[in-house]
Amino acid sequence: MKRDSDADGLKWRIAREIPHLRRFARSLVRDADRADDLVQDCIERAIRKRHLWHRVGTIRSWLFRMLYRVFLNQNRGRAREAPVPVEDVAHRLAAPASQEDRVVCHDIGDALERLPAEQRAAILLVALEGASYDEAAKILDVPVGTVRSRLSRGRDALRSLYPEERPRIRRVK
Amino acid sequence: MSHPRDPVTEFDLLAYADGNLDGDPERKREIETYLEARPDVAARVHAFAWQDEEIRACYGDLLGEPVPERLRAALDAPPRKGGATPLKVAAAVVLLLATSAGSWFLGRSTANEAAQDGDRLMAQAVAEFLNAPAAGVRSVHDAKGVRSLPWFSDRIALELRAPDLSAEGFRLADKRLISTDGREVVEVSYVDGDGGRIVLMLHPRWQETAPGVRVDERGGVAVAYWADGPLAFGLASDAGTEKTRKLADAIRKSLRDSQGTQPKLAPQIRTGIPTVDNGAPRTGPEAGGAPRRDRNGPVGPNVIRHN
């Protein structure tokens, strides 16, 4: 099977997506090791299920979809983080960032972390990965309307958790 | 003020904020005009676009990080056998599978003793697990892929199907008959692709019912204990209580699927010493991957080495 040129081609294409997968995983779970565990599980699964890759859509969508599904499966058993009231968030945001593992940004990452995973994932796919709503819908395995409502609710929640400092009206480029 | 050709919806606002309307300049201008007249809506849309920028600034650097070696290595790792994502079992897992043999039981116990049996099973499972020898099993291939286990002794013939653990990535590797704790036990080994090993031990005992799967932890070893019909099970592993429970559920389900609710018991009394097979691999078509489950009935006499 290693000499199968199709398999080698697919492995090479998967290899190219690893940085994107890592970034998506890090945005879903903040801990760097857990995120890489997620990516590793996804890669292994993709290799195992390569016969399911039908060349419809992009490799990236296919992998992201797989990663998201692995993420959901792993989180099913985990205790859900209790939603944090907005007032508490303000205090936490005022405290200095501590762990080395944390993503550099401090604040919006913190805010995103407080959203339900499904809203966070929708926002990240669109904002970070530049996915269209259709692509996001395929990756998350929901209808496009659901993507939009998650985006809308998630972004409104983000706005409370992490408001702009100087609101100003200008054309959005 | 000109009216947009279609009413402006949340969809349009989101799309505008995400830059998705750049391909439709006319619509984009309609939205912008709409927003100029509604500062609060515009503020919201602006906030969304700003969030995008913040997010990209926050996570953008991650693309430039070097890829950890273990992720590259994952591309070349041999694919695990079996369909479902297998549980990562770190070390050997010991399974005790006990069955009541109806009128052929080797020992009688009351309900109290059965409960004590349960504890003893768990203690035994833990002890076996801690003392389990290093993996070094030979491969035994059953051509038809059905792991039937006729058990010959001078007193009882009992035939059971071993659990099909191929979905968990384990395949049957070895069988032998040993004596432990004054009882005769069939020991069956499974291995997975990563060197993980399961040892399955069968011996008859009096029926006992226990509700659900109980999982305890003793000295770093998680033990799951449950009963299904005439079968009582004990499972020990060092993979943690959650994974042990999942493995227990998988085994339970696998047994139900392959056996219905009752194992096939062969009510034959045999006497004499059975023919000894030294366990050399069978000739014939080797199962290349995990054996497939076959529900049509036991096939082939898998002879067990008698200690």
Side-chain angles (χ1 to χ4, degrees):
Chain A
M1 249 176 261
K2 277 189 181 172
R3 282 183 285 281
D4 178 12
S5 63
D6 255 6
D8 285 346
L10 184 68
K11 282 186 187 175
W12 179 78
R13 291 169 76 182
I14 292 175
R16 289 181 62 195
E17 298 302 326
I18 291 179
H20 285 271
L21 287 171
R22 291 188 76 216
R23 183 171 73 172
F24 186 39
R26 274 295 280 281
S27 60
L28 290 173
V29 300
R30 300 209 80 185
D31 179 75
D33 280 336
R34 267 193 62 206
D36 279 343
D37 283 347
L38 204 54
V39 176
Q40 185 168 344
D41 286 344
C42 174
I43 292 173
E44 288 171 354
R45 194 179 167 91
I47 299 289
R48 263 201 329 273
K49 299 207 178 262
R50 60 181 174 271
H51 53 280
L52 293 178
W53 163 238
H54 298 304
R55 293 183 174 79
V56 179
T58 62
I59 263 272
R60 185 174 299 176
S61 287
W62 184 65
L63 291 170
F64 270 50
R65 186 184 158 104
M66 205 170 277
L67 188 116
Y68 185 63
R69 188 171 284 172
V70 173
F71 165 71
L72 285 182
N73 285 342
Q74 288 185 359
N75 279 335
R76 204 164 281 154
R78 261 172 226 284
R80 303 228 176 276
E81 189 179 332
V84 180
V86 176
E87 315 82 80
D88 291 357
V89 170
H91 291 296
R92 279 206 55 178
L93 287 177
S98 48
Q99 306 89 339
E100 317 71 33
D101 257 3
R102 281 169 64 130
V103 181
V104 173
C105 70
H106 312 308
D107 290 332
I108 196 159
D110 217 28
L112 277 168
E113 185 75 352
R114 275 153 181 73
L115 297 182
E118 53 184 35
Q119 287 177 10
R120 180 163 76 241
I123 292 174
L124 289 163
L125 284 174
V126 170
L128 191 56
E129 303 297 334
S132 71
Y133 297 163
D134 284 332
E135 279 179 312
K138 286 202 182 67
I139 289 168
L140 300 172
D141 201 17
V142 295
V144 169
T146 306
V147 172
R148 295 204 299 260
S149 66
R150 287 181 187 177
L151 282 173
S152 168
R153 281 204 293 270
R155 287 189 189 278
D156 280 333
L158 264 189
R159 209 177 161 203
S160 327
L161 289 169
Y162 186 54
E164 290 173 275
E165 279 142 344
R166 291 189 311 278
R168 56 192 185 279
I169 315 299
R170 62 172 170 82
R171 277 188 198 279
V172 177
K173 292 274 178 281
Chain B
M1 176 170 56
S2 63
H3 291 285
R5 56 162 191 256
D6 291 322
V8 174
T9 65
E10 175 78 1
F11 178 45
D12 295 306
L13 298 177
L14 283 176
Y16 179 72
D18 289 325
N20 287 348
L21 286 183
D22 292 347
D24 188 350
E26 195 183 312
R27 186 62 173 163
K28 187 173 170 185
R29 271 194 298 276
E30 287 181 342
I31 305 300
E32 285 169 345
T33 309
Y34 174 91
L35 290 177
E36 275 169 359
R38 293 165 183 78
D40 51 341
V41 181
R44 183 167 175 255
V45 166
H46 179 263
F48 290 177
W50 179 79
Q51 285 169 3
D52 283 6
E53 286 173 25
E54 287 285 302
I55 288 172
R56 285 191 279 267
C58 177
Y59 292 101
D61 287 346
L62 290 177
L63 278 188
E65 278 185 11
V67 173
E69 186 50 40
R70 62 155 161 149
L71 294 183
R72 284 197 201 284
L75 285 167
D76 292 323
R80 280 185 243 241
K81 297 181 171 52
T85 307
L87 300 172
K88 294 183 173 64
V89 177
V93 168
V94 169
L95 235 157
L96 284 184
L97 173 66
T99 174
S100 91
S103 59
W104 329 298
F105 58 90
L106 290 183
R108 181 189 285 274
S109 60
T110 62
N112 278 344
E113 285 173 10
Q116 286 166 19
D117 262 3
D119 275 350
R120 210 166 39 239
L121 260 185
M122 291 176 89
Q124 189 172 0
V126 173
E128 292 290 343
F129 176 77
L130 294 174
N131 294 325
V137 293
R138 300 159 309 186
S139 288
V140 173
H141 295 286
D142 181 324
K144 290 279 179 108
V146 173
R147 290 158 300 291
S148 60
L149 297 169
W151 171 15
F152 301 98
S153 78
D154 57 350
R155 289 161 65 188
I156 288 176
L158 184 67
E159 189 169 298
L160 279 178
R161 295 198 200 184
D164 178 350
L165 300 179
S166 53
E168 279 63 56
F170 287 92
R171 71 171 197 282
L172 187 68
D174 192 12
K175 298 182 290 288
R176 57 195 193 120
L177 181 65
I178 62 176
S179 290
T180 182
D181 202 22
R183 305 177 185 192
E184 289 177 355
V185 174
V186 175
E187 186 188 87
V188 186
S189 297
Y190 295 78
V191 291
D192 72 6
D194 297 84
R197 176 168 166 260
I198 289 179
V199 173
L200 169 81
M201 300 170 76
L202 293 83
H203 64 114
R205 79 181 191 55
W206 196 237
Q207 178 171 349
E208 191 242 55
T209 54
V213 175
R214 214 171 72 213
V215 181
D216 287 350
E217 188 140 72
R218 300 184 181 190
V221 178
V223 183
Y225 179 63
W226 75 99
D228 259 340
L231 301 173
F233 301 74
L235 168 67
S237 92
D238 68 348
T241 53
E242 191 186 306
K243 287 179 179 170
T244 304
R245 179 182 294 278
K246 278 188 189 161
L247 187 56
D249 287 342
I251 292 167
R252 198 176 188 189
K253 180 180 188 305
S254 165
L255 283 169
R256 280 179 173 160
D257 287 351
S258 67
Q259 295 178 355
T261 54
Q262 298 272 334
K264 286 195 174 8
L265 303 178
Q268 294 167 333
I269 307 296
R270 295 173 189 253
T271 57
I273 309 297
T275 314
V276 173
D277 179 306
N278 68 2
R282 292 181 165 277
T283 55
E286 284 203 355
R292 278 188 304 284
R293 199 178 302 171
D294 181 348
R295 296 169 195 251
N296 292 330
V299 174
N302 294 303
V303 185
I304 306 156
R305 180 163 51 87
H306 196 354
N307 270 7

